[in-house]
Amino acid sequence: MATLKEHVLNEAGERQDRLTIGQLVTLIERHDPEEGPGVTRERIREYAEALAERDAPVNPDKVDGAIDDRLAEDESLSGPVSWTGSTTLFDVGEGRVS
């Protein structure tokens, strides 16, 4: 496991039960970017596990389901997907979401 950014853990931990999977992905993208677009599911799980170890109300076993529930199904701008919604995540390829 690569080193996790303390800033991401602290900010996510401060949100407690208000933290959404979308917010966690955004925090990781902004403060611990990986090479390429988006964040890997594995990296998101690593952060979720670290947060759970700090007694944050995060269940690492539910990360994949939470991501799947929020994935946009339509890749076109004309589809029914809300591209501005804070709960929508996008598959950007190679197992990464944004």
Side-chain angles (χ1 to χ4, degrees), residues 18-29:
R18 297 181 322 274
L19 179 69
T20 66
I21 192 69
Q23 291 170 341
L24 181 57
V25 169
T26 298
L27 283 171
I28 298 168
E29 281 184 303

Side-chain angles (χ1 to χ4, degrees), residues 5-46:
K5 300 291 183 182
E6 198 64 31
H7 178 78
V8 174
L9 293 169
N10 288 337
E11 191 167 334
E14 288 174 6
R15 296 182 187 194
Q16 291 292 318
D17 60 342
R18 297 181 322 274
L19 179 69
T20 66
I21 192 69
Q23 291 170 341
L24 181 57
V25 169
T26 298
L27 283 171
I28 298 168
E29 281 184 303
R30 287 185 183 158
H31 302 289
D32 191 10
E34 296 179 299
E35 191 170 313
V39 180
T40 62
R41 287 174 179 249
E42 178 181 339
R43 190 69 170 159
I44 299 165
R45 280 191 302 274
E46 290 173 347

